[in-house]
Amino acid sequence: MKINDGGILIISGPRTGSSNLLKSISFAYNKKFVFEPDILETPPLYDSSKDVVKIVPLKKYHLDKGYDFLPIAKQFNTVVLLNRRNREEQLESLYVMGTDKKTGIKKRWGIEKEIDKDSNYYGYLAQWMDELDIVLNKLSEDLNIPIDYYEDVYKNKTLSNKDINLELEYLNPKYKLRQVNPKTII
């Protein structure tokens, strides 16, 4: 079966560029995309035979029941696992998102944002990310597919599975939320 002939599931860690990857894949195939539905909900809010679906196991019960993802993933023709190599930047971005309730997931930010790495919240996020890594690694092993990494995807403009088409506009650095502005010397 060709990739275009079935549904595509992206299971990712948070702050990995997965929302733009979702758009990139769905527009490349002219398919409907479904942004972070509760994957364990019945009936599902997506069609695994044709939609592009992205999930981030954010809720504690997703990780506690983590292996409920395996039978769901097998309903899709294609699965992409996405995470990030630079854990520190990922945690910083997640921390900024979680502590800024006004702008939420679309907040653009720079390195001047104060990040309290000694806080209980930061520690909680780090522990949660460790648990999520275990789930992604197990899924990778059981589905026999590699984990793609944000740094590689956005640098090389491709996934490990070269058969998956991407609409490259959505991989443009202008969509990054972390904005690092160079200092101007006067």
Short mmCIF file of all heavy atoms in Angstrom, two decimals, residues 73-95:
data_model
loop_
_atom_site.label_atom_id
_atom_site.label_comp_id
_atom_site.label_asym_id
_atom_site.label_seq_id
_atom_site.Cartn_x
_atom_site.Cartn_y
_atom_site.Cartn_z
N ALA A 73 -1.72 2.46 16.78
CA ALA A 73 -0.72 2.75 15.74
C ALA A 73 -0.82 1.76 14.59
O ALA A 73 -0.66 2.13 13.42
CB ALA A 73 0.68 2.74 16.35
N LYS A 74 -1.11 0.52 14.91
CA LYS A 74 -1.20 -0.51 13.87
C LYS A 74 -2.41 -0.32 12.95
O LYS A 74 -2.48 -0.94 11.89
CB LYS A 74 -1.22 -1.90 14.51
CG LYS A 74 0.14 -2.27 15.08
CD LYS A 74 0.13 -3.66 15.67
CE LYS A 74 1.52 -4.05 16.14
NZ LYS A 74 1.58 -5.40 16.66
N GLN A 75 -3.36 0.55 13.33
CA GLN A 75 -4.51 0.83 12.47
C GLN A 75 -4.14 1.77 11.32
O GLN A 75 -4.88 1.88 10.36
CB GLN A 75 -5.64 1.47 13.30
CG GLN A 75 -6.22 0.58 14.35
CD GLN A 75 -7.20 1.32 15.25
OE1 GLN A 75 -7.59 2.45 14.97
NE2 GLN A 75 -7.59 0.68 16.33
N PHE A 76 -3.01 2.45 11.44
CA PHE A 76 -2.58 3.41 10.44
C PHE A 76 -1.63 2.75 9.44
O PHE A 76 -0.86 1.87 9.80
CB PHE A 76 -1.88 4.60 11.11
CG PHE A 76 -2.82 5.52 11.82
CD1 PHE A 76 -3.27 5.21 13.10
CD2 PHE A 76 -3.26 6.69 11.23
CE1 PHE A 76 -4.15 6.05 13.77
CE2 PHE A 76 -4.13 7.54 11.89
CZ PHE A 76 -4.58 7.22 13.16
N ASN A 77 -1.69 3.21 8.21
CA ASN A 77 -0.80 2.71 7.17
C ASN A 77 0.65 3.10 7.45
O ASN A 77 1.56 2.32 7.21
CB ASN A 77 -1.25 3.27 5.81
CG ASN A 77 -0.42 2.78 4.65
OD1 ASN A 77 -0.10 1.60 4.58
ND2 ASN A 77 -0.07 3.68 3.76
N THR A 78 0.84 4.31 7.96
CA THR A 78 2.17 4.85 8.19
C THR A 78 2.24 5.49 9.57
O THR A 78 1.33 6.20 9.97
CB THR A 78 2.51 5.92 7.12
OG1 THR A 78 2.34 5.34 5.81
CG2 THR A 78 3.92 6.44 7.26
N VAL A 79 3.34 5.25 10.28
CA VAL A 79 3.55 5.85 11.59
C VAL A 79 4.89 6.56 11.59
O VAL A 79 5.89 6.03 11.09
CB VAL A 79 3.52 4.79 12.72
CG1 VAL A 79 3.81 5.43 14.08
CG2 VAL A 79 2.18 4.06 12.74
N VAL A 80 4.90 7.76 12.15
CA VAL A 80 6.13 8.53 12.33
C VAL A 80 6.29 8.75 13.83
O VAL A 80 5.36 9.20 14.50
CB VAL A 80 6.06 9.90 11.61
CG1 VAL A 80 7.28 10.75 11.93
CG2 VAL A 80 5.88 9.73 10.11
N LEU A 81 7.44 8.43 14.36
CA LEU A 81 7.78 8.73 15.75
C LEU A 81 8.75 9.90 15.72
O LEU A 81 9.73 9.88 14.97
CB LEU A 81 8.42 7.52 16.43
CG LEU A 81 7.59 6.25 16.45
CD1 LEU A 81 8.40 5.09 17.03
CD2 LEU A 81 6.30 6.44 17.23
N LEU A 82 8.48 10.92 16.52
CA LEU A 82 9.29 12.13 16.48
C LEU A 82 9.65 12.56 17.89
O LEU A 82 8.80 12.61 18.77
CB LEU A 82 8.50 13.25 15.77
CG LEU A 82 9.20 14.60 15.61
CD1 LEU A 82 10.38 14.49 14.64
CD2 LEU A 82 8.21 15.64 15.12
N ASN A 83 10.92 12.89 18.08
CA ASN A 83 11.37 13.41 19.36
C ASN A 83 12.46 14.43 19.09
O ASN A 83 12.64 14.86 17.95
CB ASN A 83 11.84 12.29 20.29
CG ASN A 83 11.63 12.63 21.75
OD1 ASN A 83 11.24 13.73 22.11
ND2 ASN A 83 11.90 11.68 22.61
N ARG A 84 13.17 14.79 20.10
CA ARG A 84 14.20 15.81 19.98
C ARG A 84 15.48 15.32 20.63
O ARG A 84 15.44 14.71 21.70
CB ARG A 84 13.69 17.08 20.66
CG ARG A 84 14.35 18.32 20.23
CD ARG A 84 13.51 19.51 20.59
NE ARG A 84 14.28 20.71 20.45
CZ ARG A 84 13.78 21.91 20.48
NH1 ARG A 84 12.48 22.07 20.65
NH2 ARG A 84 14.54 22.96 20.34
N ARG A 85 16.60 15.57 20.01
CA ARG A 85 17.89 15.17 20.58
C ARG A 85 18.31 16.12 21.72
O ARG A 85 18.83 15.68 22.72
CB ARG A 85 18.98 15.18 19.51
CG ARG A 85 18.83 14.10 18.48
CD ARG A 85 20.05 14.04 17.58
NE ARG A 85 19.79 13.30 16.37
CZ ARG A 85 19.77 11.97 16.29
NH1 ARG A 85 19.97 11.26 17.36
NH2 ARG A 85 19.52 11.37 15.14
N ASN A 86 18.09 17.41 21.53
CA ASN A 86 18.51 18.40 22.52
C ASN A 86 17.44 18.51 23.61
O ASN A 86 16.52 19.31 23.51
CB ASN A 86 18.77 19.75 21.86
CG ASN A 86 19.42 20.73 22.80
OD1 ASN A 86 19.15 20.75 24.00
ND2 ASN A 86 20.28 21.58 22.25
N ARG A 87 17.59 17.69 24.63
CA ARG A 87 16.61 17.63 25.71
C ARG A 87 16.51 18.96 26.45
O ARG A 87 15.43 19.37 26.85
CB ARG A 87 16.99 16.50 26.67
CG ARG A 87 16.13 16.36 27.91
CD ARG A 87 14.63 16.23 27.64
NE ARG A 87 14.29 15.18 26.75
CZ ARG A 87 14.11 13.92 27.09
NH1 ARG A 87 14.20 13.53 28.32
NH2 ARG A 87 13.78 13.03 26.18
N GLU A 88 17.63 19.64 26.65
CA GLU A 88 17.60 20.90 27.39
C GLU A 88 16.72 21.94 26.69
O GLU A 88 15.87 22.57 27.30
CB GLU A 88 19.01 21.45 27.59
CG GLU A 88 19.03 22.71 28.42
CD GLU A 88 20.44 23.22 28.69
OE1 GLU A 88 21.42 22.60 28.23
OE2 GLU A 88 20.55 24.25 29.37
N GLU A 89 16.92 22.10 25.39
CA GLU A 89 16.09 23.06 24.64
C GLU A 89 14.63 22.62 24.63
O GLU A 89 13.73 23.46 24.69
CB GLU A 89 16.61 23.23 23.22
CG GLU A 89 17.88 24.04 23.16
CD GLU A 89 18.35 24.32 21.74
OE1 GLU A 89 17.66 23.92 20.77
OE2 GLU A 89 19.42 24.95 21.60
N GLN A 90 14.39 21.34 24.53
CA GLN A 90 13.02 20.83 24.54
C GLN A 90 12.35 21.14 25.89
O GLN A 90 11.21 21.62 25.93
CB GLN A 90 13.02 19.33 24.28
CG GLN A 90 11.64 18.73 24.15
CD GLN A 90 11.71 17.23 23.86
OE1 GLN A 90 12.70 16.56 24.16
NE2 GLN A 90 10.65 16.71 23.28
N LEU A 91 13.05 20.89 26.97
CA LEU A 91 12.50 21.17 28.30
C LEU A 91 12.28 22.66 28.51
O LEU A 91 11.27 23.07 29.09
CB LEU A 91 13.41 20.61 29.39
CG LEU A 91 13.27 19.13 29.68
CD1 LEU A 91 14.42 18.63 30.54
CD2 LEU A 91 11.94 18.84 30.35
N GLU A 92 13.21 23.48 28.05
CA GLU A 92 13.05 24.93 28.18
C GLU A 92 11.81 25.40 27.44
O GLU A 92 11.01 26.18 27.96
CB GLU A 92 14.29 25.65 27.66
CG GLU A 92 15.49 25.49 28.55
CD GLU A 92 16.77 26.07 27.96
OE1 GLU A 92 16.77 26.50 26.77
OE2 GLU A 92 17.78 26.08 28.68
N SER A 93 11.62 24.92 26.24
CA SER A 93 10.45 25.30 25.44
C SER A 93 9.16 24.83 26.09
O SER A 93 8.16 25.55 26.15
CB SER A 93 10.59 24.73 24.03
OG SER A 93 9.53 25.18 23.22
N LEU A 94 9.17 23.62 26.61
CA LEU A 94 7.99 23.08 27.29
C LEU A 94 7.69 23.88 28.55
O LEU A 94 6.54 24.19 28.85
CB LEU A 94 8.22 21.61 27.61
CG LEU A 94 7.05 20.81 28.16
CD1 LEU A 94 5.87 20.84 27.19
CD2 LEU A 94 7.48 19.37 28.42
N TYR A 95 8.73 24.25 29.28
CA TYR A 95 8.58 25.06 30.50
C TYR A 95 7.95 26.41 30.16
O TYR A 95 7.01 26.85 30.82
CB TYR A 95 9.94 25.24 31.16
CG TYR A 95 9.90 26.09 32.41
CD1 TYR A 95 9.66 25.51 33.65
CD2 TYR A 95 10.11 27.46 32.36
CE1 TYR A 95 9.62 26.28 34.81
CE2 TYR A 95 10.08 28.24 33.50
CZ TYR A 95 9.84 27.64 34.72
OH TYR A 95 9.79 28.42 35.85
#
